[in-house]
Amino acid sequence: MRRSTRIAPSILSADFAALGAAVDCLVAAEADYIHIDVMDGHFVPNLTIGPAVVQALRKRTALTFDVHLMISPLDPLLPDFLDAGADILTVHAEAGPHLHRSVQQIKQAGCRAGVALNPGTPASAVDAVLGDIDLVLAMTVDPGFGGQGFLRAQCTKIAELRARIDESGRTIDLEVDGGINEGTAAEARAAGADVLVAGSFVFADGPGGCAGRIRQLREAAP
Ligand code: DX5
Ligand code: ZN
């Protein structure tokens, strides 16, 4: 049975001087997950949040922390993010040569494991780990920055991933990240997404506007 849409606002678009308050607002706004974008200035051309910040935010809420690692190499830093309190830890298939090892490390720590695919990576890249993971993240922008335009051609790949997940018979979230607004949310949902990440759209009116913006996404993509 199709699961209802979950909304995962990205705090990448929040005021970095007030991240705690942003998390409080998202909790009050009944976000499903809090999406935390970790960038290393190497795998992607931007530097953002480290494990110390995740650990500090962890004290504000028990809501699911959906941590998206855009770092390479990734294995040396996995323990730090696991200790910091990630609930879902997602690694990029393109970030290193040992995807199973990274996934196993996450699962052994009792955390949910995700695998993300850049727009240029085919859906088949998840086949070898589909029996082990809890989430597939389909990027609809090249990762690195918020506020980029939704790559519509990725909807074909989202549908391919949906088919693979359904065929596996396992409970795996299909998350879509990049350029999500009230229009593209419906397109991603129609293609098969069940978790929608949104940064610039959710924070466009400041933290006070988050609840209304999350509601708009839920109405656009039920
Ligand atoms: C992109 C990040 C996304 C991004 C989404 O590299 O992984 O989570 O912040 O931002 P918007 O919703 O602005 O595209
Ligand atoms: Zn992300």
Side-chain angles (χ1 to χ4, degrees), residues 77-124:
L77 279 174
L78 286 181
D80 290 349
F81 283 100
L82 291 164
D83 290 346
D87 297 291
I88 305 169
L89 200 50
T90 295
V91 299
H92 268 261
E94 309 85 0
H98 309 301
L99 189 54
H100 287 88
R101 181 176 298 146
S102 306
V103 166
Q104 281 162 8
Q105 210 177 323
I106 296 168
K107 295 298 290 182
Q108 278 163 11
C111 186
R112 280 182 268 170
V115 169
L117 302 183
N118 283 334
T121 304
S124 58

Side-chain angles (χ1 to χ4, degrees), residues 78-216:
L78 286 181
D80 290 349
F81 283 100
L82 291 164
D83 290 346
D87 297 291
I88 305 169
L89 200 50
T90 295
V91 299
H92 268 261
E94 309 85 0
H98 309 301
L99 189 54
H100 287 88
R101 181 176 298 146
S102 306
V103 166
Q104 281 162 8
Q105 210 177 323
I106 296 168
K107 295 298 290 182
Q108 278 163 11
C111 186
R112 280 182 268 170
V115 169
L117 302 183
N118 283 334
T121 304
S124 58
V126 297
D127 287 351
V129 287
L130 219 48
D132 306 304
I133 61 179
D134 306 283
L135 178 143
V136 172
L137 194 173
M139 292 302 304
T140 40
V141 297
D142 276 312
F145 303 98
Q148 303 180 80
F150 183 77
L151 296 172
R152 188 153 283 112
Q154 293 298 309
C155 285
T156 308
K157 189 168 94 185
I158 296 168
E160 286 170 21
L161 289 167
R162 175 82 268 153
R164 285 172 147 81
I165 289 169
D166 290 348
E167 201 177 318
S168 77
R170 300 188 66 243
T171 302
I172 300 172
D173 280 344
L174 178 52
E175 182 173 57
V176 172
D177 184 0
I180 294 291
N181 55 39
E182 78 276 43
T184 58
E187 292 178 57
R189 177 66 173 160
D194 45 25
V195 183
L196 301 173
V197 176
S200 44
F201 181 79
V202 166
F203 284 97
D205 305 323
C210 286
R213 294 262 171 176
I214 289 172
R215 212 174 307 123
Q216 267 181 273

Side-chain angles (χ1 to χ4, degrees), residues 35 37 68 70 177 197:
H35 188 83
D37 283 308
H68 177 191
M70 287 158 275
D177 184 0
V197 176

